DNA sequence: TAATCCACTTGCCATAAGGCAAGAAATGAA
DNA sequence: TTCATTTCTTGCCTTATGGCAAGTGGATTA
């Protein structure tokens, strides 16, 4: 499982512990459009994306989609609140392309989390990194223009621009698809 | 320490464990304007705010302050990345008022974190809650107008409006102080 | 092949928010 | 008290982005 090798990198994890962690995963396929998790459900699984891309989104009060994130290959797709607090989620997690996922059920995850110190540390590192990235995004929403945010996305996550339709990218950047279309036109001159 | 009673609420924590945790804190006072942590430093302490308010901020490329958060009484003030990964922070944490803080050094924190399962769980719950709140803020930046964001802050964190000058609140909301002044005028009619 | 559907573009105009600068009000210091 | 500094407000104009609606082009399906 080369994908899992990439995901679980932490100095405290020994090869035999990694083996135990790898074996806890089961393989699940999703077709484009399938939902890994839907609003109202209580999350019971932890997903690593092995192949493909997932989009997370919420509905705002007008019924519009707001894309909250794109989860790429070799990344983790979970709603931490729903999974760890066992409450209904407000987000949708939908396969943007056909996906292959490595999945661990919550019960099994908790056992690993409490029995393998390095896995616990890895989890804390993952969550703090997520927090940091989200903070960067929030700051970018304040300091950067829509055009600059688009360019950053283009540099840092080119695959998203290739795989996601414009309207999803636009709502992720906090603008309308109309505006993004104009920004793109402007940039290609 | 009534403040700590409020902060450390988790079903797995026994009274004697709580006692151990409480005793790990030392009391540190900060005067208005003092820094708990400055850009470039590696964080070595974990802070609970007992009295007062702290503001965290970054400088953007133009040298402008961007307020990233307000930390109130009974809340935790840390830079998770700098503290847990031992890297220099990019944020400033400054006392907005005179503050009384309960502090734990990183070494001692790590010992507690790994020896008390409930404390570990509490930490995960705290971090996932932070992640959720930050996501809510990001969504609000996309879906709500500046005026709506101001009203939400007013309802949910009235103390911030009382204690922080307008320019800090404005940059937290993602607008200029000029605009916030006009919004406030509009709302008081 | 025609009929849809979806993704994207474009034009026209509306609106929210910014930039700058002047001034008023409040706060703090000497 | 007086002076200085910071905080907040306001006017005038600019700019970024939105809203709506029409139109294009590609893909899918009947």
């Amino acid at each position: 499982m080369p994908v899992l090798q990439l995901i679980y990198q932490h100095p405290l994890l020994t090869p035999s512990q990694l083996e135990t962690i790898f074996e806890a995963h089961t393989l699940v396929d999703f077709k484009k459009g399938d939902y890994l998790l839907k609003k109202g459900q209580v999350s019971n699984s932890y997903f690593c994306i092995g192949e493909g891309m997932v989009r997370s989104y919420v509905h705002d009060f007008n019924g519009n989609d707001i894309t909250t994130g794109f989860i790429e290959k070799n990344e983790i797709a979970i709603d931490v609140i729903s999974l760890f607090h066992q409450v209904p989620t407000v987000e949708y997690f939908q396969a943007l392309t056909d996906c292959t996922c490595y999945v661990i059920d919550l019960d099994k995850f908790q056992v690993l989390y409490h029995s393998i110190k390095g896995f616990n540390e890895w989890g804390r590192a993952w969550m703090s990194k997520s927090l940091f990235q989200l903070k960067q995004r929030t700051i970018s929403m304040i300091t950067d223009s829509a055009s600059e945010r688009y360019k950053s996305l283009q540099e840092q996550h080119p695959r998203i621009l290739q795989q996601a339709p414009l309207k999803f990218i636009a709502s992720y950047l906090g603008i309308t698809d109309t505006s993004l279309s104009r920004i793109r036109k402007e940039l290609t001159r």
Side-chain angles (χ1 to χ4, degrees), chain A:
Chain A
M1 307 190 191
V3 167
L4 299 181
Q5 293 277 6
L6 285 171
I7 291 179
Y8 297 111
Q9 301 207 348
H10 195 279
L12 290 180
L13 286 169
T14 67
S16 87
Q17 288 174 336
L18 280 171
E19 196 53 39
T20 306
I21 293 169
F22 290 177
E23 284 169 1
H25 297 75
T26 58
L27 213 52
V28 180
D29 286 329
F30 292 93
K31 274 178 294 185
K32 177 176 177 172
D34 285 352
Y35 286 92
L36 285 67
L37 187 65
K38 287 177 94 158
K39 178 178 178 177
Q41 296 176 340
V42 176
S43 175
N44 194 40
S45 309
Y46 156 99
F47 300 93
C48 303
I49 312 300
E51 264 318 316
M53 191 177 289
V54 170
R55 175 177 79 107
S56 59
Y57 66 96
V58 295
H59 286 312
D60 73 6
F61 51 92
N62 294 320
N64 300 318
D65 273 14
I66 306 294
T67 298
T68 50
F70 295 99
I71 303 115
E72 298 185 68
K73 185 177 164 170
N74 304 338
E75 295 182 341
I76 310 294
I78 57 172
D79 179 331
V80 288
I81 290 286
S82 178
L83 184 62
F84 295 140
H85 297 242
Q86 287 293 289
V87 293
T89 181
V90 295
E91 276 184 280
Y92 296 84
F93 286 75
Q94 187 181 30
L96 196 59
T97 66
D98 291 352
C99 287
T100 304
C101 298
Y102 295 93
V103 182
I104 312 183
D105 285 345
L106 177 60
D107 292 347
K108 203 182 273 182
F109 184 90
Q110 297 285 44
V111 170
L112 294 174
Y113 195 81
H114 289 113
S115 62
I116 303 178
K117 182 177 165 184
F119 189 56
N120 190 302
E121 284 295 322
W122 172 85
R124 178 163 60 157
W126 176 82
M127 216 187 294
S128 61
K129 199 184 89 188
S130 301
L131 201 54
F132 178 75
Q133 288 172 341
L134 189 53
K135 188 171 271 188
Q136 292 299 108
R137 183 176 165 207
T138 309
I139 293 171
S140 165
M141 294 289 295
I142 296 176
T143 62
D144 301 342
S145 67
S147 163
E148 287 167 331
R149 296 201 296 277
Y150 177 78
K151 283 185 284 186
S152 297
L153 190 66
Q154 195 170 33
E155 283 166 21
Q156 289 163 33
H157 300 279
R159 259 200 301 241
I160 293 175
L161 300 199
Q162 290 152 20
Q163 308 211 20
L166 183 137
K167 65 180 176 183
F168 294 164
I169 299 167
S171 75
Y172 178 74
L173 294 175
I175 56 178
T176 59
D177 53 349
T178 308
S179 290
L180 182 53
S181 178
R182 286 193 255 260
I183 284 167
R184 242 174 18 176
K185 182 184 176 188
E186 187 65 26
L187 289 178
T188 56
R189 283 195 335 203

